[in-house]
Amino acid sequence: MELLNDMALFVEVVKAKGFRSAADVIGMPNSTLSRRISALEKAVGLRLLHRTTRKIEPTEAGQIYFERCKRIVDEARLAHEQLSEMLAQPSGVLRASLPVDFATTYLAPVISEFASLHPDITFDFDLTPRRVDLVSEPFDVAIRMGESVNSQLVARTLTSLTPYLYAAPGYLERSGEPNKPADLQKHACLSILKADSWTLHDAKQTATVQVGGRFTLNSIGMIRRLATLDMGIILMAEEIVADELSSGKLRQIMPGWRGTPVPVYAITETRLLPAKTQRFIEFLRDRLGQK
């Protein structure tokens, strides 16, 4: 049992990339943690960690040991949590990374409903477009749209969102309304980052059109806002612009054409999930799948 406990401590040190950070997470004195890892290295007969004044990194043997130990530790944790589920509702802090605009516009009501059903769960959300590191950062799950997933992570598809074309009435009055994909080349188009072409589909064909504009952006929220200020045409999922559509700030154009569906994933580090995370993912999949 002591060996199993030391394996769990070793996993935390590698994940935290240092003794002090791991000790804070575990709630153990730094000196005690260091002594336990040294004893573990002596027990296995190999150096597991490179120690420098700035950081801790696993040796080649340490990396192999970490990957095996982590699976064992996760299995042990899951065994306890599965038994606990028989006695209590999911509880604890659910830490999630969410895409800013999708979460604010579309996920908020779903999350509110989930929170009402599970009063013993508290929530720590990080709304950010960056790719968080699910191994070294304390997130239970990341919700992401359309990005390729690291093969070492576990991705569960929640839904897919189909983009359509939208513009503000003021922009259309000033610049005219396009009727076919080729017309978009004559218009100001607002794209994420440096996307210089849009692929559009109707019932019979697919068209790729070169688009351009005066703005290069990495924020969906800013693109949406500029569109409401008559600055151009956007290609975006209806779920993201629902408020602007209902208020009349934007309206759909070329309704027979749509963009390529964008998948929405729940990404986790492992398939061995605590009850709070498993229930959250299942709830999102159920609600988003009803759209």
Side-chain angles (χ1 to χ4, degrees), residues 232-258:
I233 295 170
I234 60 174
L235 179 65
M236 198 168 289
E238 180 182 355
E239 291 82 358
I240 304 298
V241 296
D243 291 344
E244 288 76 12
L245 291 174
S246 63
S247 66
K249 293 180 179 178
L250 294 176
R251 70 177 180 84
Q252 187 177 358
I253 60 174
M254 294 172 53
W257 291 89
R258 64 190 185 280

Side-chain angles (χ1 to χ4, degrees), residues 184-237:
L184 294 172
Q185 295 177 312
K186 304 173 184 177
H187 284 266
C189 296
L190 299 165
S191 296
I192 192 74
L193 295 176
K194 295 183 178 181
D196 57 3
S197 66
W198 287 347
T199 299
L200 302 173
H201 314 269
D202 71 359
K204 298 180 180 180
Q205 61 183 319
T206 296
T208 299
V209 57
Q210 299 299 307
V211 296
R214 296 168 59 195
F215 297 92
T216 298
L217 302 160
N218 67 349
S219 166
I220 291 176
M222 187 63 171
I223 290 174
R224 184 179 60 186
R225 178 64 174 145
L226 287 173
T228 66
L229 295 173
D230 306 336
M231 296 307 296
I233 295 170
I234 60 174
L235 179 65
M236 198 168 289

Side-chain angles (χ1 to χ4, degrees), residues 98 103 106-116 123 125 280 283-284:
L98 309 173
Y106 193 52
L107 288 184
V110 180
I111 291 171
S112 176
E113 184 182 358
F114 179 80
S116 298
F123 301 88
F125 289 155
F280 182 64
F283 191 84
L284 290 182

Side-chain angles (χ1 to χ4, degrees), residues 4-225:
L4 290 174
N5 289 334
D6 287 347
M7 289 166 64
L9 297 179
F10 173 73
V11 168
E12 291 299 328
V13 170
V14 174
K15 289 173 65 175
K17 299 181 180 179
F19 285 101
R20 187 172 301 278
S21 298
D24 291 340
V25 171
I26 299 167
M28 173 183 290
N30 187 38
S31 58
T32 302
L33 178 58
S34 179
R35 187 171 63 253
R36 293 279 291 273
I37 298 304
S38 294
L40 178 63
E41 289 178 315
K42 185 176 180 180
V44 300
L46 289 169
R47 174 74 69 179
L48 299 175
L49 297 173
H50 289 301
R51 297 164 172 82
T52 69
T53 56
R54 292 195 303 174
K55 61 181 179 179
I56 299 294
E57 291 185 342
T59 63
E60 181 180 1
Q63 185 62 41
I64 295 171
Y65 195 65
F66 168 75
E67 292 171 0
R68 297 296 296 271
C69 288
K70 187 177 181 305
R71 286 196 291 270
I72 294 170
V73 171
D74 285 341
E75 286 280 2
R77 174 174 54 81
L78 185 62
H80 281 277
E81 288 172 348
Q82 286 180 332
L83 291 177
S84 298
E85 284 184 56
M86 298 174 65
L87 299 174
Q89 289 292 322
S91 62
V93 180
L94 177 67
R95 295 180 174 88
S97 173
L98 309 173
V100 181
D101 301 288
F102 182 61
T104 303
T105 304
Y106 193 52
L107 288 184
V110 180
I111 291 171
S112 176
E113 184 182 358
F114 179 80
S116 298
L117 294 173
H118 298 283
D120 294 330
I121 297 178
T122 56
F123 301 88
D124 184 353
F125 289 155
D126 178 55
L127 273 64
T128 176
R130 72 183 180 91
R131 295 188 180 189
V132 298
D133 187 341
L134 291 171
V135 176
S136 62
E137 298 184 69
F139 291 103
D140 299 299
V141 61
I143 308 301
R144 287 293 175 262
M145 300 173 62
E147 67 181 42
S148 59
V149 179
N150 185 323
S151 61
Q152 296 181 338
L153 301 176
V154 179
R156 298 166 176 83
T157 302
L158 300 177
T159 187
S160 66
L161 305 178
T162 301
Y164 293 93
L165 294 159
Y166 303 99
Y171 172 82
L172 297 173
E173 182 177 347
R174 183 183 73 232
S175 302
E177 183 169 343
N179 295 306
K180 58 184 183 297
D183 294 343
L184 294 172
Q185 295 177 312
K186 304 173 184 177
H187 284 266
C189 296
L190 299 165
S191 296
I192 192 74
L193 295 176
K194 295 183 178 181
D196 57 3
S197 66
W198 287 347
T199 299
L200 302 173
H201 314 269
D202 71 359
K204 298 180 180 180
Q205 61 183 319
T206 296
T208 299
V209 57
Q210 299 299 307
V211 296
R214 296 168 59 195
F215 297 92
T216 298
L217 302 160
N218 67 349
S219 166
I220 291 176
M222 187 63 171
I223 290 174
R224 184 179 60 186
R225 178 64 174 145

